[in-house]
Amino acid sequence: MARIGLTGGIGSGKSTAAAGLVALGAHLVDTDAIARALTQPGGAAIPALAQAFGADALTADGALDRDRMRQIVFADAGAKARLEAILHPLIGAEASRQAAAAGARPVVFDVPLLTESSHWRARVERVLVIDCDEATQLARVIQRPGWTEEAARRVIAQQAPRAARRAIADAVVDNEALSIEQLHAELRALWSLWWPGLPVVT
């Protein structure tokens, strides 16, 4: 089973690339989606999060208040470490469970913080980075509902620098000005290079 780590800064187009790889036949394990499921009402992480951060970190319906938690983490590096200590083992266990369902298909682990995590780099055979410059990231993120320019800049600043992401990559797709069709063409070419004997679904 081929294991590929997919990463990129916020607003880089990583999620679009993940969808393109799924269309080609990959099995996607989306760690951000796993984290969201763990922090929904009744999610496996909620009791530990409530104990660590108090009721103020939860919404009225019992989910993790992501906006509130983002503020807490920005203000306190120790809070970030506590949050990761709760979530990362749970995310890792669920990611392994989902990967086991791939059969013979390549597994793509969509990991936003792959560059920062030696654990994740050790779990994958190759790293694919979707890249664009910071101004493009910012322009894309502030178009999302609920995002301000200040919040977007803070997230970008907390993520690994572009140079660090590119340094760990086995392949980089420059998604600065690609259409979706052009991005998918880049992914098809990469698929054929990495798995020449594996048919492309689309």
Side-chain angles (χ1 to χ4, degrees):
M1 181 194 303
R3 291 173 174 259
I4 305 304
L6 172 67
T7 196
I10 187 171
S12 64
K14 176 177 58 60
S15 296
T16 303
L21 290 166
V22 169
L24 292 171
H27 178 81
L28 178 65
V29 177
D30 184 338
T31 60
D32 210 24
I34 291 172
R36 287 194 297 271
L38 290 170
T39 56
Q40 290 300 304
I46 291 298
L49 291 170
Q51 183 174 7
F53 299 102
D56 287 347
L58 304 182
T59 62
D61 63 354
L64 178 67
D65 187 332
R66 294 172 74 89
D67 290 338
R68 173 62 179 150
M69 183 55 64
R70 193 179 295 120
Q71 294 171 3
I72 292 171
V73 167
F74 284 150
D76 180 1
K80 180 181 179 183
R82 294 195 301 275
L83 177 66
E84 291 175 348
I86 293 168
L87 289 180
H88 286 187
L90 295 172
I91 292 170
E94 177 60 16
S96 294
R97 188 193 70 78
Q98 292 186 15
R105 289 179 292 165
V107 179
V108 174
F109 293 93
D110 182 342
V111 186
L113 301 181
L114 188 148
T115 307
E116 296 89 332
S117 171
S118 59
H119 167 74
W120 273 108
R121 293 200 301 276
R123 292 184 65 171
V124 299
E125 298 166 12
R126 291 189 174 106
V127 174
L128 171 59
V129 170
I130 310 300
D131 189 51
C132 65
D133 69 33
E134 188 172 307
T136 301
Q137 290 179 260
L138 184 63
R140 290 171 176 169
V141 173
I142 62 176
Q143 293 178 14
R144 299 176 181 177
W147 280 86
T148 64
E149 181 174 340
E150 180 184 5
R153 288 188 183 279
R154 285 180 176 177
V155 171
I156 291 170
Q158 284 213 336
Q159 292 185 330
R162 288 179 69 196
R165 284 194 293 270
R166 295 175 72 100
I168 67 163
D170 295 285
V172 176
V173 173
D174 184 348
N175 193 32
E176 184 64 40
L178 297 180
S179 66
I180 291 178
E181 292 76 15
Q182 289 169 329
L183 175 60
H184 286 187
E186 293 269 356
L187 296 172
R188 283 195 297 273
L190 187 61
W191 183 285
S192 297
L193 177 66
W194 281 353
W195 305 297
L198 199 62
V200 172
V201 174
T202 59

